[in-house]
Amino acid sequence: MMSSCLSVCRVGISFVMMNIFYKSAVDSLPELSPQKYFSTLQPGKASLAYFCQADSPGTSVFLEELNEAVKPLQDYGISVAKVNCVKEETSRYCGKEKDLMKAYLFRGNILLREFPTDTLFDANAIVAHVLFALLFNEVKYITTLEDLQNIENALKGKANVVFSYVRAIGTPEHRAVMEAAFVYGNTHQFVLTTEIALLESIGTEDIEYAHLYFFHCKAVLDLTQQCRRTLMERPLTTLNIHRFIKTMEAPLLTEVAEDPQQVSTVHLQLGLPLVFIVSQQATYEADRGTAEWVAWRLLGKAGVLLLLRDSLEVDIPQHANVVFKREEGVPVEFLVLHDIDLIISRVENNMHIEEVREDEDNDMEGPDIDIQDDEVAETIYRDRKRQLPLELTVELTEETFNATVMASDSIVLFYAGWQAVSMAFLQSYIDVAIKLKGTPTMLLTRVNCADWSGVCTKQNVTQFPVVKMYKEGRNPVSYAGMLGTEDLLKFIQLNRISCPVNITSVQEAEEYLSGELYKDLISYSSVSVLGLFSPTMTSAKEDFTEAGNYLKGCVITGIYSEEDVLILSNKYAATLPALLLARHKEGKTESIPLANTHVQDIVQIITNAFLETFPEITVENLPIYLRLQKPLLILFSDGSIIPRYKKTILTLVKEKHLDSLTPCWLNLKNTPVGRGILQVYFDALPPLPLLLVVNLHSGGQVFAFPSDQDVTEQNLLLWLKKLEAGLESHITILPAQEWKPPFPAYDFLSMMEAAASRRSTREGPECVKETDVQESHEEQHEDKPAIRDEPTETLRIKHWNRSNWFKEAEKSFRHDNKEL
Amino acid sequence: MGLSAAAPLWGPPGLLLTIALHPALSLRPAKASAPPHRDYCVLGAGPAGLQMAYFLQRAGRDYVVFERAPGPGSFFTRYPRHRKLISINKRYTGKVNAEFNLRHDWNSLLSHDPRLLFRHYSHAYFPDAGDMVRYLRDFADRLQLHVLYNTTIAHVTLLKDRLAWNGHYFILTDQKGQAYQCSVLLVATGLSVPNQVDFPGSEYAEGYESVSVDPKDFVGQNVLILGRGNSAFETAENILGVTNFIHMLSRSRVRLSWATHYVGDLRAINNGLLDTYQLKSLDGLLESDLTNLAIVKDREGRFHVTLKFFLEEANQSADAITLPQDDNDNFAMREAYDRVIRCLGWNFDFSIFNKSLRLSSGGEFSKKYPLVRASYESKGSRGLFVLGTASHSVDYRKSAGGFIHGFRYTVRAVHRLLEHRHHGITWPATEHPITQLTSSIVRRVNEASGLYQMFSVLADVVLLKENAAAFEYLEEFPMQMLAQLETITGRNARHGLFIINMEYGRNFSGPDKDVFFYDRSVGHTEDAWRSNFLHPVIYYYRHLPTEQEVRFRSADWPLPRPTAIHHIVEDFLTDWTAPVGHILPLRRFLENCLDTDLRSFYAESCFLFALTRQKQPPFCQQGYLRMQGLVGTENLRQHGVESGLLRDYAAVGKRQEDSGRRPGDHEPAGHPLAPEPPVQPPDSNKEEL
């Protein structure tokens, strides 16, 4: 009676299975009185009832779990009910005390089993126990090797055996096995054990989790022969067991003679690939042997077919001996594999790839770590294929370096071919060479320190890039300016003249100050500096010369110390020793006394001479003004500055109202990045021009001059006073956060330690089976990289390499086809 | 006594002196008549001794080298017996980087003179030993090293003296009785005593040092070779074609250097015998402990192998001795041998060192070497250093410290240690801003030869400065001395440090390893830690590890557990300069150790940061804000905009004005704006006019 029921229930197996995979919403648990309950029992149908006191609380942990189990049990045709033992209707199933309540399994109205509630600790246990009780005949529970051998022997030539080991009854793995037994119990004999020793005695290693074997006994005709065994390598889940048994039932090897693209078997439906071994008449016997061997090796992992080339209508590449079909609808791959192991490893890799792909989806951080976020490195990389006109500069080597820098005044760029910053600068350097082409200035040379490491070390170059200027091979001067075309060009041009230049006559001095003498250079240095000394002031002259040397390439300096120096000092009202600063743009010359001024101070005076009172701020000059450490009063202008504004601010400067600020302006036409700055300051961009105070050095507040006010001296002054008094509120505060690593790094330390601990457990008596490691995956999500399984990891990489390689191979195959 | 003081310091002492000196020494001569003094005495003018002499000479130190032979490198005048060196002389690598090329030049010593590279001395990939002798002679001559030839130091003792650098002087006495007083003793005598194993019949074995090298002498003979090193295989290789068969007997299994990754194991060039053994069972390898064996000679003068046990059992005549085959008729060595050759290697000559020096042998696994610390200083007496082949106990069967291409670097490390200890010169280092950290490491792992040869023995060290704003880079520090780094180098490691080492995969080397397995190489950065081939590994420590931590580290770790570790993924070309595959992950690692952002930026980006943030990234601080920003070209800017890492602000402005300035139009920095066609310049003054 029971078996007939079961066969009825098995109709539409896969439908049931589907329901299990996609857990539907939990059906509610019907609550009945004992009388009512017993009246619902139908002959032959199984039912699980939990008897409880009517006045007991509505929910308990057990009831929640039971509720969970309603739906899956219903899928197997088993009804579930909660029976309330009311006083009027006493039943013998109603326990006397609250904590002695039990669940009972009936078939029709025959009691099959009673379960104390603590054995049914969760939904998995409920389903597992109920099915275990119902499938008493289909699933043999054994404890010794002898039992197993008896079953095996009895079934040889008759049926196959599904043998599984689970750690305990009621575990999720046990449930999975029972669910499979429900479906396949009458085609295969299921055998179950919880004895580790039994598993060990059949030679299994690394037992920690559940195992499932398929014993191929049906094909064994010689009783002395052992049944072949196939271990299921994936974790014991209902879906995996289903897939596994399905593939065990499929024919081991199929012969086909049709286009592999069109062939489909149960394997593809189960998500497993197909492997076609290409055979021809001449070698058929050997190929079939090979194919069978491969089929056994790949049992449960892929479908294996023998493809008969001779009777094939479509062309396949001539040399291909294996065809690989990954999944339905994906073009097949034609491969040339000279080793059977390669076929196996290819399939196994493919499986791992699949799995890895799954968890890569969950790994949100994964891809970003590997994406270049260094703008210099990325731009250089993107530019790698462009040919630079490197021939415009001379490449120096270990052999040529000394001779070259001795023979001619040279600029040397030290760079390293693999270092992005120096390669970015190399481009500017080449631009300089282009601009200087045909003008005999200095020899532009370069040394690739990746090649000529020794030269660089000898020249004391230990970082990149470095530019040095060699005159007569001696005392190289390091370039310390911006790493860009303009500034380097200026450095080179200004170095054409000595620093300081020796002026020999009053007339020459006048030409020098007017900018006539070095007409072509004054565009690089808006100020010409002239030191005036009487011939006897030797130490002052020395200091000035030293300062001039220090400022080499930044500014034009000259020195005049002839007897008639008084003519000049009188003319410019300077007391000797003195500095004359000729500002060419403004056409003004001012004098500064130099008595008892040291080298450093002279340098400072000259450097300060370059600071303007109301400069246009650019990317290049901002750092100079930032050194003043004052808040910026900055006017953003879309185009040239409006003269009225300029006048207002210059007036305030002159009246010393702006001494605590650095007044400046920014032309968005010249410095478009200014827009990016305004976007940070404002949510909605107010109309330009716009006057702001940016307190960069203390506090980071940004204040905006009200756009509804006119920029007049009075208004501005009033606003600044209010600012100072703290009466104005800022529009934003610049973020003060530190620059942290943009992305995490790979935590190799924990990966190594996880691997080491895994290895040490493997060495011990109880070892982790690789497949089961994946099971533990789910339990420890946070620590994912640490538990990744070893082969999976390395294989992914291979996959990456290989897939490219195979694409290439495929291409060439196609090519062959055309020619044929 | 008076005579000894009057004797010329380095001239050959007269006969009279020799006689006079003996009583003088035994009587402990007074200070006035103390033997000639040298700060540094080097024993042996082989490669290691000359290498040390070179460094001492360059540093202007007071030193002398003692050599018993009339010229340098006397070992190579006789050995290897078949004259072929197995250290490669790779003259072409396709690279011009001289430091890199030393990775594949195993014979040159270090010097500033490019003429003293071995490739100028031999064209052969496996050069002739005679060329080595010629090379060493040139090395000593050209560099004018102070070597006393024909001076055999017969005895070394210790003389306590409070004022001496190490609390004692080393007193060296030569064959003529001349004594020398040395503050520091550098022993570079190599391994000079042939190793002999004592067993009954061992006297029948000919030694490698004297066996004929003429194949004709072995025609039609059965040969038994004891030992399984390169000398054994070299001997076999020479006679393989003329013998009946060669059997090779040794305690342990054959160790192929390509599997163990140890250059001292059997090199492929010598392994012809393995072919015939495995293919045709012609020749063969046998494993047995020699000390259990005995060799007996029969009446015809042929040799039989038997067990010592049988010999002891009975006191019988030679013919009556039990042979294993009497019981066991398929005993492998039942055939009689015509020759037995002993190729069991060499031992260090301990005999000249007085007990007071406490120079003892290196323990169970490296008995043939004297015991030294990882700094190559003897454990027994301070100031005594062992250099060269004899110092191999430090990395026996691991790295290359027993071979020229390895010990030329360990000698340099010892010299740097001495320079600091006795002359106050700190370990050489370069200082850089932190933004150069990635580059400094990339440079070294790509070219350094010392790291490459002496992997897991010498390592580069990065010492961080306060707040990790800058760092010092030290090269080739003996990494097992890490805990003593501050005292050895004279540098400060208070703010954390990185160690740059080269390593093979943890489970990749061993005599029984299959090193050609499928999937042996790793390509993905995420799996770099599984790299098998020699690759750079960087350790980060927040604090200098203590001596305890170094000593009790986990078994298969070369260093104690770091705060973090990084592997640069192995590379087929050993070129670790790939921007995304090598440099990017390294930068991420360094950034995360230092908790900062080590990206580089163009000046325009720094400009933006300077006006919109209170703090600047290190690259902008150290470059742009010091007027050394990287401007970049228009072409590169375009790439930047395409990649989304840079923004085209000119386009931003246009777009915004075109769309009537939508409020809150914040573009996320990572998204590029589509390039816009140029529009007419907007009227900038429209608000005002």
Side-chain angles (χ1 to χ4, degrees), chain B residues 86 126 230 237 256-258 265-272 274:
Chain B
I86 54 175
F126 293 105
N230 276 302
E237 191 82 15
L256 299 165
S257 64
W258 75 62
D265 285 329
L266 177 60
R267 301 281 306 285
I269 175 173
N270 277 336
N271 65 13
L274 299 182

Side-chain angles (χ1 to χ4, degrees), chain A residues 408-482:
Chain A
S408 47
D409 293 354
S410 318
I411 298 280
V412 186
L413 168 65
F414 296 92
Y415 66 105
W418 48 264
Q419 207 247 3
V421 174
S422 64
M423 289 310 280
F425 183 50
L426 177 64
Q427 299 211 355
S428 302
Y429 191 67
I430 298 296
D431 284 351
V432 170
I434 292 171
K435 289 197 172 161
L436 288 177
K437 205 173 168 185
T439 52
T441 45
M442 261 185 240
L443 190 63
L444 293 186
T445 67
R446 62 193 158 85
V447 179
N448 186 350
C449 296
D451 291 336
W452 306 105
S453 167
V455 176
C456 302
T457 312
K458 261 179 227 154
Q459 297 303 315
N460 211 9
V461 173
T462 52
Q463 57 189 56
F464 319 110
V466 163
V467 173
K468 291 192 178 204
M469 182 180 66
Y470 294 78
K471 281 194 168 177
E472 290 134 26
R474 279 180 290 111
N475 307 329
V477 177
S478 289
Y479 171 69
M482 292 281 271

Side-chain angles (χ1 to χ4, degrees), chain B residues 348-367:
Chain B
F348 180 75
D349 184 2
F350 287 94
S351 69
I352 62 167
F353 298 95
N354 184 284
K355 269 201 187 119
S356 60
L357 272 78
R358 293 188 291 165
L359 192 65
S360 54
S361 95
E364 201 42 48
F365 296 101
S366 49
K367 268 187 203 144

Side-chain angles (χ1 to χ4, degrees), chain B residues 53-73:
Chain B
Y54 168 75
F55 290 120
L56 291 169
Q57 172 121 328
R58 290 285 280 180
R61 303 294 164 218
D62 174 37
Y63 79 95
V64 70
V65 183
F66 298 103
E67 170 58 49
R68 66 177 162 191

Side-chain angles (χ1 to χ4, degrees), chain A residues 288-572:
Chain A
R288 189 167 169 97
T290 308
E292 263 173 28
W293 191 84
V294 171
W296 276 113
R297 289 279 305 269
L298 290 179
L299 195 56
K301 296 170 190 161
V304 180
L305 303 95
L306 197 63
L307 184 64
L308 306 169
R309 183 199 286 269
D310 304 301
S311 37
L312 204 59
E313 287 179 2
V314 289
D315 267 349
I316 62 170
Q318 204 176 1
H319 298 290
N321 57 3
V322 174
V323 183
F324 191 72
K325 185 167 185 178
R326 197 183 299 277
E327 52 191 283
E328 203 78 76
V330 174
V332 296
E333 297 167 53
F334 296 100
L335 312 173
V336 184
L337 300 174
H338 295 295
D339 187 339
I340 297 175
D341 284 335
L342 290 178
I343 306 178
I344 311 294
S345 63
R346 178 153 176 88
V347 169
E348 287 174 349
N349 298 352
N350 192 54
M351 291 189 352
H352 289 304
I353 292 158
E354 225 179 44
E355 285 160 18
V356 176
R357 275 193 195 143
E358 280 161 20
D359 55 45
E360 263 179 355
D361 290 340
N362 307 331
D363 200 355
M364 296 307 280
E365 283 176 347
D368 291 332
I369 295 191
D370 292 331
I371 290 177
Q372 183 63 270
D373 53 355
D374 183 305
E375 58 195 42
V376 182
E378 178 66 15
T379 51
I380 286 300
Y381 184 70
R382 281 173 183 251
D383 201 48
R384 67 194 180 281
K385 293 202 172 152
R386 199 163 63 94
Q387 287 272 322
L388 288 175
L390 288 173
E391 66 281 357
L392 294 175
T393 58
V394 179
E395 186 178 12
L396 299 185
T397 69
E398 190 122 33
E399 287 81 36
T400 59
F401 184 87
N402 281 328
T404 310
V405 300
M406 289 299 284
S408 47
D409 293 354
S410 318
I411 298 280
V412 186
L413 168 65
F414 296 92
Y415 66 105
W418 48 264
Q419 207 247 3
V421 174
S422 64
M423 289 310 280
F425 183 50
L426 177 64
Q427 299 211 355
S428 302
Y429 191 67
I430 298 296
D431 284 351
V432 170
I434 292 171
K435 289 197 172 161
L436 288 177
K437 205 173 168 185
T439 52
T441 45
M442 261 185 240
L443 190 63
L444 293 186
T445 67
R446 62 193 158 85
V447 179
N448 186 350
C449 296
D451 291 336
W452 306 105
S453 167
V455 176
C456 302
T457 312
K458 261 179 227 154
Q459 297 303 315
N460 211 9
V461 173
T462 52
Q463 57 189 56
F464 319 110
V466 163
V467 173
K468 291 192 178 204
M469 182 180 66
Y470 294 78
K471 281 194 168 177
E472 290 134 26
R474 279 180 290 111
N475 307 329
V477 177
S478 289
Y479 171 69
M482 292 281 271
L483 304 177
T485 313
E486 290 307 316
D487 286 68
L488 184 61
L489 198 61
K490 170 182 164 182
F491 177 80
I492 293 171
Q493 293 287 21
L494 291 181
N495 265 301
R496 279 161 48 194
I497 54 169
S498 54
C499 202
V501 186
N502 215 11
I503 306 288
T504 49
S505 71
V506 173
Q507 196 199 345
E508 197 186 7
E510 293 289 6
E511 278 172 22
Y512 174 84
L513 290 171
S514 69
E516 279 298 308
L517 189 60
Y518 296 116
K519 225 184 208 163
D520 50 339
L521 292 184
I522 57 167
S523 61
Y524 299 107
S525 175
S526 57
V527 180
S528 292
V529 182
L530 183 63
L532 297 180
F533 305 92
S534 64
T536 52
M537 297 170 171
T538 35
S539 79
K541 272 197 282 185
E542 269 168 25
D543 283 356
F544 179 77
T545 309
E546 202 183 325
N549 257 312
Y550 184 86
L551 291 167
K552 220 173 196 178
C554 306
V555 61
I556 303 174
T557 53
I559 185 165
Y560 189 76
S561 69
E562 299 298 324
E563 296 292 349
D564 55 358
V565 69
L566 282 176
I567 301 172
L568 286 172
S569 66
N570 288 339
K571 178 175 175 191
Y572 294 101

